[in-house]
Amino acid sequence: MPKITIDGIEAEFETGESILQVADRIGIEIPRFCYHKDLRWAGNCRMCQVEVEKMPKLAISCATVAADGMVVYTKSPKVVKAVRGVLEFLLLNHPIDCPICDQAGECFLQDYYMRYGLYDSRIPLNDKVKKRKVLRLGDMIVLDTERCVLCSRCVRFCEDVTGSNEFGFSNRGNRTEIGTFYDAVVDNPYAGNLVDICPVGAITSKDFRFKCRVWFLNTTPSVCPTCSTGCNIYVESKNGLVQRLRPRYNADVNKSWICDKGRMSYKLINDEGRLYQALEKSGSGFQEISYESAVEKGAQKLKDIASKYGNDKILAIASPKGTNEDLYLFKKFFSEVIRTPHISLGETDGVNNASVMEDKVLRRIDPNPNTVGAGLIGIKADDGKMTPERVADIINKNGIKALYLMSPEILRDGATSQPLRDALKNVDAIIVHSMFVPLSDMPAQIVFPSASYAEADGTFTNYAGRVQKIKSAIKRKESVKSHSEIFQDMINKLGGDGKKLSAPAIFNELAGVVSAFSSIKFSDIGDTGVQLKL
Ligand code: SF4
Ligand code: SF4
Ligand code: FES
């Protein structure tokens, strides 16, 4: 293989790799504004200049292809002088508003200036060219044109990734300005990524702006639960509240991007309507009961109905929003402990289209993160989607007397469905897991407060069969439980071995039983997941 030497370190490279790409791979940092690993090379900012032996002038490392035997210096006096020159040039007209800029703490310009800057300005502050500020371009982004370093990342993202072509430069010289034509809104479904790719504070997030300084955030790697793509994300929180979601790089799933719907989905976790206490039906509403009492009463109801009418009079509907571990314990509980044949999967809109690429970028029709995992574990919806009418049909045909739901969706969607309302009149026990306070007339006897994906550990299997880990990012209230915990407690209440297993232990038990997962252990699932052979 061909070799290159960068700052005295010899490295092999693939034909076509640029000097900067090889340097990144071996841990040598070269400053850059315009280069982004998931965008086409532009070579327009000149920040990444390096000295290459036998080349008469400095070269831009992002767009200079590595050649066998090349000897490169990234921090020689000539390089440092050039980088300082570029910074001085960029900062001639940059507003020095770092104290009030939302990008502070994650701004390339701030960081590079601290490393390479000429700390005394040679231009009087009053001579700076002023450009337009605080342009609200749609729901996701705010543009401060005078902070722009003209790197063109936003232009290339909208040209090549979304194909929506919103951004462009106008004017010449130090009047050059980034913007959209007539300040048109940027309403492509991936606009939030522009905030991540803008290396300075020119494009900031309408939602996150001025919420908190980024160095106060706790960052947890996880997976977006909003569709079956399973984009890798960071969940960032402060004081027990999720403040923002950011994409986490995974070359095989989402590269550097996430969609806006997924990005904003964190609001549900902080929603004021969250349910934090178990409930029992009381008259025309609900009364709060302890979690232990809910387990006791729920288990007793199922036991009574099984002995009075038969095990097959219980219908259990799982949620494809649950983790593999949740769904495995759901299956274990209803197949092995309750022993009912009526086990199904709810909320599976779009599962029939799971093999169709709905959006050339990331988004998929199936709004659930784990439909494939549920199927592999053996929980399937009969007809693609479990509608309220279909549930009513199953209840009527089989004389169902107890309904157990891992999510209240069916009841919510069926609130106006007369067939479901009629069928539920014959059902003696309805037990539901819910993240939100139910309406007082919801037909349920016991409601368990369930944890969000940001408050639980486990794994999802995405549409392509990739198993990826989620990790608890915020501490949940003591009375809120993950689906897995509720099923473990129900199993134990009805005669289980009393074990309370962690997510890794449940996964390893699952892998021993479900053949599709048999080749992997929890410890094999790295930060970017493991691909199952489907
Ligand atoms: S707005 Fe940001 S991403 Fe776009 S050209 Fe300016 S600095 Fe680059
Ligand atoms: S494409 Fe799907 S998984 Fe990815 S961020 Fe959007 S909703 Fe989440
Ligand atoms: S990063 Fe190389 S020219 Fe901009």
Side-chain angles (χ1 to χ4, degrees), residues 49-59 70-71 78:
Q49 295 180 79
V50 292
E51 199 174 344
V52 182
E53 271 183 14
K54 297 188 189 131
M55 280 175 85
K57 290 185 181 168
L58 297 179
M70 236 181 201
V71 179
K78 251 172 128 176

Side-chain angles (χ1 to χ4, degrees), residues 33 143 147-155 167 169 178 194 197-200 202-203:
F33 286 119
L143 179 64
R147 292 184 190 152
C148 173
V149 293
L150 308 177
C151 71
S152 82
R153 283 182 175 191
C154 55
V155 179
F167 280 96
F169 293 119
I178 189 71
L194 293 160
I197 60 172
C198 180
V200 294
I203 299 179

Side-chain angles (χ1 to χ4, degrees), residues 20 31-35 42-48 60-63:
L20 187 145
R32 80 284 310 264
F33 286 119
C34 70
Y35 174 79
N44 61 0
C45 76
R46 324 310 283 181
M47 268 300 276
C48 66
I60 48 168
S61 60
C62 69

Side-chain angles (χ1 to χ4, degrees), residues 381-403:
D382 313 338
D383 294 326
K385 180 161 171 73
M386 188 57 100
T387 60
E389 288 66 35
R390 176 85 187 111
V391 176
D393 205 34
I394 299 173
I395 292 172
N396 294 337
K397 276 201 184 118
N398 300 285
I400 294 296
K401 290 289 177 191
L403 177 62

